[in-house]
Amino acid sequence: HSQKNYPNPADMKPLITQDNLKLLQNEVLKQCDQLDGSTDKIIDDPRKCRFKFSSLPECPEGKPGSACFTNEQLAAIKAIYSPLVADGKEIYPGFPFGVEGEDASWDLWITGTSPYLQGGPSLHYMFSTNIFKYFVFNDPDWDYSKYDFKDFGAQTSYASSYLDATLTDYSEFKKRNGKIIFYHGWNDAALSAYATIDHYEGILNSDKEAKSYARLFLLPGVMHCGGGPGCDNVDWIALIIDWVEKSKAPDQVVASKTVEGKVITKTIYPYPKQ
């Protein structure tokens, strides 16, 4: 999606604006916030959001404005929600709907419109282009804007051999009685929650007893590790200690957040329960 958001390497100006993000988030909430039965600016399960992009106002004559989207901006936004497919294989999933316009969300990681970046490109752009320059192609002059993803598998195989952590066989971990708790904010803009779901489902598919040593918890409305409108405070250390030392499996967790001096809580069940 960085190719579409930064189409011109010469000026590095992002297509998606901060106004776009605010408008987008408001429309996503308008269409999908009530799907979980409560209007709280949090979408409990973004997979249920069937967002209609046609509802977003288009800019007249294709000229960018603060209250509309150009075709190019819409294409860049759709790319963020869409998986990357190369050689007929999904390389990485898209990002879930929700929390697009919050501070330190899309603006920091994806669109590069955060004041923390001081006019620099997004963190996604910086990570991805530098990995391709220095780990994949060994070429500091590599031009991201012209890359077409042909032969992606072959070109990235060597870097993948020492960078990837995709193995879903936890049999050795299981043998030594290990326990692992995965958690992911549903609206993490750095790493897609769908990727963690895919990894966890791979573990379940490889071992029918996987839930005896591995659990996944998805936190609605939570961003990268924490933050966002959702409840993001969980004592994960206590939960893993109870599981390892007392054989008390985490059948549910209580996440909390302090809002205007008031503590709110939400009970989260292990995936795929809701």
PDB file of all heavy atoms in Angstrom, residues 4 11 13 25 44 155 177 219 223 228 236 256 270:
ATOM      1  N   LYS A   4       1.003   2.948  -3.376  1.00  0.00           N
ATOM      2  CA  LYS A   4      -0.142   3.777  -3.749  1.00  0.00           C
ATOM      3  C   LYS A   4      -0.216   5.052  -2.917  1.00  0.00           C
ATOM      4  O   LYS A   4      -0.662   6.091  -3.394  1.00  0.00           O
ATOM      5  CB  LYS A   4      -1.439   2.973  -3.613  1.00  0.00           C
ATOM      6  CG  LYS A   4      -1.565   1.831  -4.610  1.00  0.00           C
ATOM      7  CD  LYS A   4      -2.921   1.177  -4.539  1.00  0.00           C
ATOM      8  CE  LYS A   4      -3.044   0.035  -5.543  1.00  0.00           C
ATOM      9  NZ  LYS A   4      -2.913   0.490  -6.939  1.00  0.00           N
ATOM     10  N   ASP A  11       8.920  13.455  -4.327  1.00  0.00           N
ATOM     11  CA  ASP A  11       8.463  14.403  -3.299  1.00  0.00           C
ATOM     12  C   ASP A  11       7.994  13.727  -2.015  1.00  0.00           C
ATOM     13  O   ASP A  11       7.844  14.378  -0.980  1.00  0.00           O
ATOM     14  CB  ASP A  11       7.365  15.316  -3.850  1.00  0.00           C
ATOM     15  CG  ASP A  11       6.080  14.570  -4.182  1.00  0.00           C
ATOM     16  OD1 ASP A  11       5.931  13.396  -3.805  1.00  0.00           O
ATOM     17  OD2 ASP A  11       5.203  15.174  -4.823  1.00  0.00           O
ATOM     18  N   LYS A  13       5.220  12.775  -0.845  1.00  0.00           N
ATOM     19  CA  LYS A  13       4.017  13.326  -0.225  1.00  0.00           C
ATOM     20  C   LYS A  13       2.923  12.265  -0.222  1.00  0.00           C
ATOM     21  O   LYS A  13       2.577  11.726  -1.262  1.00  0.00           O
ATOM     22  CB  LYS A  13       3.535  14.557  -0.990  1.00  0.00           C
ATOM     23  CG  LYS A  13       2.334  15.240  -0.359  1.00  0.00           C
ATOM     24  CD  LYS A  13       1.922  16.475  -1.144  1.00  0.00           C
ATOM     25  CE  LYS A  13       0.711  17.148  -0.500  1.00  0.00           C
ATOM     26  NZ  LYS A  13       0.281  18.345  -1.271  1.00  0.00           N
ATOM     27  N   GLN A  25     -12.887   6.959   9.348  1.00  0.00           N
ATOM     28  CA  GLN A  25     -13.244   6.341  10.622  1.00  0.00           C
ATOM     29  C   GLN A  25     -14.698   6.616  10.985  1.00  0.00           C
ATOM     30  O   GLN A  25     -15.415   5.709  11.440  1.00  0.00           O
ATOM     31  CB  GLN A  25     -12.338   6.866  11.736  1.00  0.00           C
ATOM     32  CG  GLN A  25     -12.720   6.335  13.127  1.00  0.00           C
ATOM     33  CD  GLN A  25     -11.688   6.662  14.186  1.00  0.00           C
ATOM     34  OE1 GLN A  25     -10.642   6.046  14.245  1.00  0.00           O
ATOM     35  NE2 GLN A  25     -11.996   7.641  15.024  1.00  0.00           N
ATOM     36  N   ASP A  44     -16.337  -4.886  17.795  1.00  0.00           N
ATOM     37  CA  ASP A  44     -15.853  -6.083  18.489  1.00  0.00           C
ATOM     38  C   ASP A  44     -15.185  -7.083  17.548  1.00  0.00           C
ATOM     39  O   ASP A  44     -14.185  -7.699  17.896  1.00  0.00           O
ATOM     40  CB  ASP A  44     -17.009  -6.766  19.238  1.00  0.00           C
ATOM     41  CG  ASP A  44     -17.209  -6.178  20.627  1.00  0.00           C
ATOM     42  OD1 ASP A  44     -16.607  -5.125  20.913  1.00  0.00           O
ATOM     43  OD2 ASP A  44     -17.966  -6.773  21.427  1.00  0.00           O
ATOM     44  N   GLN A 155      12.798 -14.093  -5.050  1.00  0.00           N
ATOM     45  CA  GLN A 155      13.627 -12.938  -4.694  1.00  0.00           C
ATOM     46  C   GLN A 155      13.791 -12.780  -3.180  1.00  0.00           C
ATOM     47  O   GLN A 155      14.808 -12.280  -2.710  1.00  0.00           O
ATOM     48  CB  GLN A 155      13.013 -11.663  -5.286  1.00  0.00           C
ATOM     49  CG  GLN A 155      13.116 -11.579  -6.791  1.00  0.00           C
ATOM     50  CD  GLN A 155      12.303 -10.440  -7.362  1.00  0.00           C
ATOM     51  OE1 GLN A 155      11.394  -9.913  -6.719  1.00  0.00           O
ATOM     52  NE2 GLN A 155      12.624 -10.050  -8.590  1.00  0.00           N
ATOM     53  N   ASN A 177       6.213 -29.106  27.926  1.00  0.00           N
ATOM     54  CA  ASN A 177       5.102 -28.566  28.725  1.00  0.00           C
ATOM     55  C   ASN A 177       5.057 -27.039  28.717  1.00  0.00           C
ATOM     56  O   ASN A 177       4.699 -26.404  29.709  1.00  0.00           O
ATOM     57  CB  ASN A 177       5.185 -29.075  30.170  1.00  0.00           C
ATOM     58  CG  ASN A 177       3.846 -28.981  30.880  1.00  0.00           C
ATOM     59  OD1 ASN A 177       2.795 -29.099  30.238  1.00  0.00           O
ATOM     60  ND2 ASN A 177       3.871 -28.776  32.180  1.00  0.00           N
ATOM     61  N   LEU A 219      -8.128  -8.198  21.205  1.00  0.00           N
ATOM     62  CA  LEU A 219      -8.664  -7.100  22.006  1.00  0.00           C
ATOM     63  C   LEU A 219      -9.341  -6.058  21.105  1.00  0.00           C
ATOM     64  O   LEU A 219      -8.660  -5.359  20.347  1.00  0.00           O
ATOM     65  CB  LEU A 219      -7.544  -6.439  22.814  1.00  0.00           C
ATOM     66  CG  LEU A 219      -6.677  -7.370  23.663  1.00  0.00           C
ATOM     67  CD1 LEU A 219      -5.670  -6.555  24.470  1.00  0.00           C
ATOM     68  CD2 LEU A 219      -7.527  -8.223  24.591  1.00  0.00           C
ATOM     69  N   MET A 223      -4.963  -0.806  19.767  1.00  0.00           N
ATOM     70  CA  MET A 223      -3.984  -0.581  18.705  1.00  0.00           C
ATOM     71  C   MET A 223      -2.724  -1.433  18.938  1.00  0.00           C
ATOM     72  O   MET A 223      -2.819  -2.537  19.459  1.00  0.00           O
ATOM     73  CB  MET A 223      -3.665   0.916  18.620  1.00  0.00           C
ATOM     74  CG  MET A 223      -4.901   1.758  18.340  1.00  0.00           C
ATOM     75  SD  MET A 223      -4.611   3.476  17.847  1.00  0.00           S
ATOM     76  CE  MET A 223      -3.592   4.109  19.160  1.00  0.00           C
ATOM     77  N   GLY A 228      -5.703   3.202  21.940  1.00  0.00           N
ATOM     78  CA  GLY A 228      -6.971   3.095  21.235  1.00  0.00           C
ATOM     79  C   GLY A 228      -8.139   3.172  22.195  1.00  0.00           C
ATOM     80  O   GLY A 228      -7.957   3.200  23.415  1.00  0.00           O
ATOM     81  N   TRP A 236      -1.045 -10.025  31.762  1.00  0.00           N
ATOM     82  CA  TRP A 236      -0.679 -11.239  31.040  1.00  0.00           C
ATOM     83  C   TRP A 236       0.302 -12.097  31.833  1.00  0.00           C
ATOM     84  O   TRP A 236       0.255 -13.331  31.750  1.00  0.00           O
ATOM     85  CB  TRP A 236      -0.073 -10.877  29.678  1.00  0.00           C
ATOM     86  CG  TRP A 236      -0.993 -10.121  28.778  1.00  0.00           C
ATOM     87  CD1 TRP A 236      -0.906  -8.810  28.431  1.00  0.00           C
ATOM     88  CD2 TRP A 236      -2.175 -10.629  28.127  1.00  0.00           C
ATOM     89  NE1 TRP A 236      -1.950  -8.469  27.592  1.00  0.00           N
ATOM     90  CE2 TRP A 236      -2.732  -9.561  27.395  1.00  0.00           C
ATOM     91  CE3 TRP A 236      -2.804 -11.882  28.086  1.00  0.00           C
ATOM     92  CZ2 TRP A 236      -3.888  -9.700  26.627  1.00  0.00           C
ATOM     93  CZ3 TRP A 236      -3.949 -12.029  27.332  1.00  0.00           C
ATOM     94  CH2 TRP A 236      -4.483 -10.947  26.614  1.00  0.00           C
ATOM     95  N   SER A 256      -9.046  -3.995  31.013  1.00  0.00           N
ATOM     96  CA  SER A 256      -9.569  -2.766  31.603  1.00  0.00           C
ATOM     97  C   SER A 256      -8.967  -1.533  30.950  1.00  0.00           C
ATOM     98  O   SER A 256      -7.976  -1.601  30.230  1.00  0.00           O
ATOM     99  CB  SER A 256      -9.289  -2.742  33.110  1.00  0.00           C
ATOM    100  OG  SER A 256      -7.894  -2.667  33.355  1.00  0.00           O
ATOM    101  N   PRO A 270     -10.983 -16.648  24.643  1.00  0.00           N
ATOM    102  CA  PRO A 270      -9.972 -17.112  23.702  1.00  0.00           C
ATOM    103  C   PRO A 270     -10.563 -17.399  22.326  1.00  0.00           C
ATOM    104  O   PRO A 270     -11.642 -17.974  22.211  1.00  0.00           O
ATOM    105  CB  PRO A 270      -9.424 -18.380  24.365  1.00  0.00           C
ATOM    106  CG  PRO A 270     -10.495 -18.841  25.297  1.00  0.00           C
ATOM    107  CD  PRO A 270     -11.192 -17.601  25.753  1.00  0.00           C
TER     108      PRO A 270
END
